[in-house]
């Protein structure tokens, strides 16, 4: 199964939430090396850049069973959700994980919470709430949405 990773330069620095260098993580090659301990390296794709730019490089015919959103901020999360739902990428039963759903004072008017709420409304997403994971994360399971091609079994 393929694994896709997107790397960004963080808008957190621009917003004043963090100072430059405070959120340094793995390089693209570093994360590939780490993940290749568990799955074949040929199955790992890395798309460096900002989400709104790098998503355009992601194959539009991709089908997603699991999406882990670690965007933190509203606009980045919105960019990802719009792209994957506009291109009908989440499959029926797709698990969507938001790592910072409870950040921003758990406000429904900010961050990942607001972006998810707007996506639900815009794409008529039918989902189940899978509950919390960690202190800030939340998971959802997509059942249906506008644009989902469903296989009807007789």
């Amino acid at each position: 199964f393929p694994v896709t990773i997107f790397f960004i330069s963080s808008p957190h620095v621009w917003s004043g939430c963090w100072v430059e260098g405070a959120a340094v993580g793995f390089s693209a090659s570093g994360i590939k090396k780490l993940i290749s301990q568990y799955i074949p390296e040929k199955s790992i794709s890395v798309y460096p850049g900002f989400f709104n730019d790098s998503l355009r490089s992601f194959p539009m015919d991709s089908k997603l069973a699991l999406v882990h959103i670690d965007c933190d901020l509203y606009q980045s999360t919105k960019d990802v959700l719009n792209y994957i739902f506009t291109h009908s990428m989440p499959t029926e039963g797709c698990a969507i994980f938001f790592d910072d759903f409870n950040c921003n004072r758990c406000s429904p008017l900010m961050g990942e919470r607001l972006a998810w709420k707007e996506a639900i409304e815009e794409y008529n997403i039918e989902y189940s709430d899978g509950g919390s994971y960690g202190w800030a994360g939340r998971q959802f399971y997509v059942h249906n949405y506008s644009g989902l091609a469903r296989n009807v079994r007789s």
Side-chain angles (χ1 to χ4, degrees):
F1 57 92
V3 173
T4 302
I5 309 290
F6 291 92
F7 279 90
I8 63 162
S9 170
S10 180
H12 291 83
V13 174
W14 310 336
S15 69
C17 292
W18 295 342
V19 296
E20 188 152 357
V24 175
F26 289 99
S27 65
S29 61
I31 194 73
K32 206 168 189 177
K33 181 179 176 183
L34 178 69
I35 295 172
S36 68
Q37 295 175 39
Y38 305 99
I39 62 172
E41 190 170 332
K42 66 180 182 193
S43 298
I44 303 166
S45 299
V46 177
Y47 297 88
F50 288 99
F51 293 115
N52 62 345
D53 295 326
S54 60
L55 282 166
R56 289 182 231 149
S57 302
F58 191 58
M60 283 191 256
D61 61 346
S62 297
K63 297 300 175 199
L64 306 172
L66 186 146
V67 178
H68 184 266
I69 296 180
D70 187 358
C71 300
D72 302 346
L73 302 176
Y74 165 79
Q75 190 59 55
S76 299
T77 306
K78 181 130 180 107
D79 290 344
V80 170
L81 291 172
N82 281 342
Y83 190 84
I84 67 173
F85 281 102
T86 297
H87 294 95
S88 302
M89 292 180 175
T91 56
E92 184 176 1
C94 177
I96 299 182
F97 291 77
F98 295 93
D99 81 317
D100 288 317
F101 200 76
N102 292 323
C103 288
N104 299 306
R105 299 180 299 277
C106 296
S107 173
L109 304 175
M110 299 172 75
E112 292 178 349
R113 282 178 178 252
L114 178 58
W116 177 239
K117 177 181 173 278
E118 290 176 354
I120 291 167
E121 294 167 359
E122 186 170 345
Y123 299 101
N124 300 309
I125 301 170
E126 295 174 24
Y127 66 94
S128 294
D129 185 335
S132 296
Y133 71 97
W135 70 271
R138 192 128 197 122
Q139 56 192 319
F140 300 92
Y141 300 93
V142 175
H143 304 296
N144 197 6
Y145 60 92
S146 299
L148 176 64
R150 300 182 78 167
N151 293 326
V152 179
R153 296 182 191 159
S154 47

